[in-house]
Amino acid sequence: MSYDKVEVPEDGEAITLADEETGELDVPENPIIPIIHGDGIGTDVGPAAQQVLDAAAEATGRSIAWMRVYAGASARDKYGENLPEDTVSAIREHRVAIKGPLTTPVGSGFRSLNVALRKTLDAYANVRPTYYLDGVPSPVKAPEKMDMVIFRENTEDVYAGIEWEAGTDEVETVRAFVEDEMGVDDVIHDGPVGIGIKPITEFGSKRLIREAFDYALENDRDSVTLVHKGNIMKFTEAAFRDWGYELAEEEYGDELITEDELWDEHDGDQPEGTVVVKDRIADNMLQQVLTRTDEYDVIATMNLNGDYFSDAAGAQIGGLGIAPGINRGHGRALAEPVHGSAPKYAGEDKVNPTAMILSGREMLDYLGWKDAADLVRDAVEETISSGKVTYDLHRQIDGGEKLATSEFADAIVENIEKLS
Ligand code: NAP
């Protein structure tokens, strides 16, 4: 495929799909990987992550041929559009990519480019590993108890973009349908109204929950918790929970047991090789994750819950500067940090690149480069625990050395060289 709006590297080979059914990849030792540095602080954390990932690849006898692709402000500056088709095609063709944050104006302007990218790629599982790194300051007493992997559904829910603005003909058509055709009286107040629709499908729920179950089984995790607000939203959030239990029964047999079965049939003694499936109501879950952190392991939830929950959980292990993520589906992956573009710090060489670097670590793991992925984690941990940190962590610890984004990346690279 040829591209006009992409910086094609001179060398490197394309990653290809080895098995359509499992999504398994054929990964060369010098893969072409598209990268979007992103808006705001993306211009700081993007290059920092690239530098660290290059060092980890080199230390394990490989190389990455970066393909610069553009979205957001950089795409507007260069090509006069927010999301060039070439960017989407390059990511689709090369299968595994990494991006920094992209700015989304609140209320007006264009829709979220992040949501658009995840939807176009149908990267339906947003995976957010939430684990503690030694030396990271935390607002809780025992942050090391946190070791969760959050699977957030990425394509449905109130984020699906089915909504109408107050004052439009469309919203009045929807109001009339709801009131006149569906007989819903006395719910929507008179006057201007904005209306959004919350689709939760069996298909979307089961394919996300299946990813979480498979991950838990492959990685010897103890449990998968389905997080929902089904007590209030019975036909969407409760349906998600019910489809989760149905899937466990239909496809996993004895490998998955419910919490009731754990107690009724096994006296609370979990049989080896099994994963317990449980569910929690979302608001309760937000406090459980603080008070009973180590009872939770793999989480499967819908789009909105997952967005809130992962930021709250991320705060326990050091905040947005730390929390990584990766979007997966159909043998494709787009790694991206949980944080946004923090425009007030843009270009200051100040913010913490750890979240972007650890998102890159998830990407290396997805490529099957476990040695390189572990090296990145160990080098980041080594750097932070030696007191070398960026401003966000520095303000929470006594002593330590406050580093700029680029100096922090240099320190991690030094540790990669030392540890390899
Ligand atoms: P944000 O950009 O994540 O920043 C909020 C605050 O979090 C920052 O002011 C800073 O806190 C801290 N923070 C974030 N990233 C950090 C880092 N790398 N190192 C250290 N601290 C960091 O959230 P926002 O201000 O709500 O959103 C700004 C824009 O980003 C919006 O347009 C939003 O739509 C977009 N966004 C994009 C994505 C994405 O691309 N996936 C995700 C979320 C938001 P302190 O000021 O306290 O130091």
Side-chain angles (χ1 to χ4, degrees):
M1 215 165 186
S2 74
Y3 300 105
D4 296 328
K5 297 175 181 170
V6 156
E7 286 170 25
V8 180
E10 282 169 11
D11 49 10
E13 289 173 58
I15 295 170
T16 52
L17 192 61
D19 183 334
E20 184 110 24
E21 205 159 292
T22 60
E24 199 188 315
L25 298 178
D26 205 342
V27 181
E29 294 294 83
N30 58 344
I32 297 171
I33 296 192
I35 181 165
I36 299 172
H37 282 173
D39 295 338
I41 55 169
T43 57
D44 304 285
V45 299
Q50 221 174 316
Q51 184 192 347
V52 169
L53 298 174
D54 275 338
E58 198 188 320
T60 53
R62 308 170 177 114
S63 64
I64 298 172
W66 295 106
M67 176 185 255
R68 275 293 295 281
V69 297
Y70 296 88
S74 60
R76 282 195 298 283
D77 288 350
K78 245 175 133 58
Y79 304 116
E81 51 186 319
N82 282 318
L83 186 59
E85 185 47 43
D86 272 6
T87 296
V88 178
S89 307
I91 295 176
R92 226 190 253 131
E93 183 189 349
H94 292 93
R95 298 205 156 264
V96 177
I98 181 165
K99 67 173 274 291
L102 295 170
T103 300
T104 310
V106 176
S108 59
F110 51 83
R111 296 199 66 80
S112 166
L113 296 176
N114 301 302
V115 175
L117 260 172
R118 293 172 204 151
K119 278 204 81 159
T120 331
L121 297 171
D122 197 28
Y124 55 85
N126 181 218
V127 185
R128 295 182 167 185
T130 310
Y131 52 84
Y132 181 65
L133 291 174
D134 198 30
V136 174
S138 160
V140 299
K141 280 190 197 145
E144 67 285 354
K145 287 187 175 173
M146 172 79 80
D147 184 11
M148 287 188 333
V149 183
I150 301 162
F151 283 75
R152 166 189 170 195
E153 204 290 323
N154 233 354
T155 62
E156 299 196 318
D157 206 345
V158 281
Y159 281 31
I162 314 173
E163 56 180 11
W164 297 275
E165 192 177 355
T168 58
D169 288 347
E170 287 87 349
V171 86
E172 289 312 322
T173 305
V174 177
R175 183 208 290 260
F177 172 75
V178 168
E179 291 180 345
D180 303 340
E181 300 278 323
M182 304 304 287
V184 178
D185 295 326
D186 296 332
V187 175
I188 305 175
H189 298 299
D190 289 341
V193 57
I195 296 181
I197 285 189
K198 177 183 174 76
I200 302 290
T201 63
E202 177 180 354
F203 171 76
S205 302
K206 283 189 171 171
R207 70 176 177 173
L208 181 274
I209 297 168
R210 191 180 289 112
E211 290 269 337
F213 286 164
D214 289 346
Y215 176 89
L217 285 164
E218 280 160 23
N219 293 279
D220 294 327
R221 294 289 191 147
D222 287 338
S223 67
V224 176
T225 306
L226 307 168
V227 177
H228 60 89
K229 190 73 189 154
N231 52 333
I232 306 293
M233 291 170 270
K234 296 185 188 304
F235 305 128
T236 50
E237 302 244 344
F240 176 87
R241 177 203 58 190
D242 294 346
W243 285 321
Y245 283 118
E246 196 175 278
L247 180 74
E249 209 173 299
E250 282 169 356
E251 293 184 16
Y252 292 86
D254 294 342
E255 286 183 306
L256 300 186
I257 57 173
T258 63
E259 228 174 0
D260 284 348
E261 285 164 354
L262 173 68
W263 290 100
D264 295 348
E265 296 169 22
H266 306 282
D267 256 354
D269 195 8
Q270 185 170 349
E272 204 157 312
T274 63
V275 168
V276 176
V277 182
K278 47 193 176 184
D279 76 279
R280 296 288 181 273
I281 289 176
D283 40 346
N284 175 31
M285 189 61 193
L286 280 168
Q287 63 108 20
Q288 293 258 317
V289 78
L290 280 164
T291 54
R292 304 170 72 153
T293 316
D294 51 2
E295 290 180 23
Y296 298 98
D297 201 340
V298 176
I299 307 294
T301 192
M302 287 148 283
N303 213 334
L304 178 64
N305 293 335
D307 202 3
Y308 293 159
F309 182 69
S310 53
D311 271 29
Q316 284 178 241
I317 47 99
L320 285 178
I322 302 284
I326 188 164
N327 304 287
R328 302 187 336 200
H330 311 289
R332 289 196 173 79
L334 177 64
E336 62 171 335
V338 171
H339 66 69
S341 56
K344 66 181 173 180
Y345 297 128
E348 288 189 14
D349 195 18
K350 171 175 176 153
V351 295
N352 192 346
T354 301
M356 180 90 178
I357 291 169
L358 292 179
S359 301
R361 174 198 183 237
E362 292 306 312
M363 183 185 83
L364 299 180
D365 193 59
Y366 189 81
L367 294 179
W369 296 3
K370 305 251 180 255
D371 48 355
D374 288 349
L375 195 51
V376 169
R377 179 187 164 140
D378 293 348
V380 170
E381 193 160 41
E382 180 71 26
T383 309
I384 295 174
S385 61
S386 71
K388 292 184 173 178
V389 290
T390 45
Y391 85 96
D392 52 322
L393 303 189
H394 189 259
R395 69 187 168 190
Q396 300 175 62
I397 57 175
D398 292 329
E401 189 184 347
K402 182 160 78 169
L403 300 184
T405 311
S406 55
E407 293 169 331
F408 182 69
D410 289 342
I412 296 171
V413 169
E414 262 174 46
N415 279 322
I416 286 180
E417 286 160 4
K418 238 185 260 167
L419 292 168
S420 59

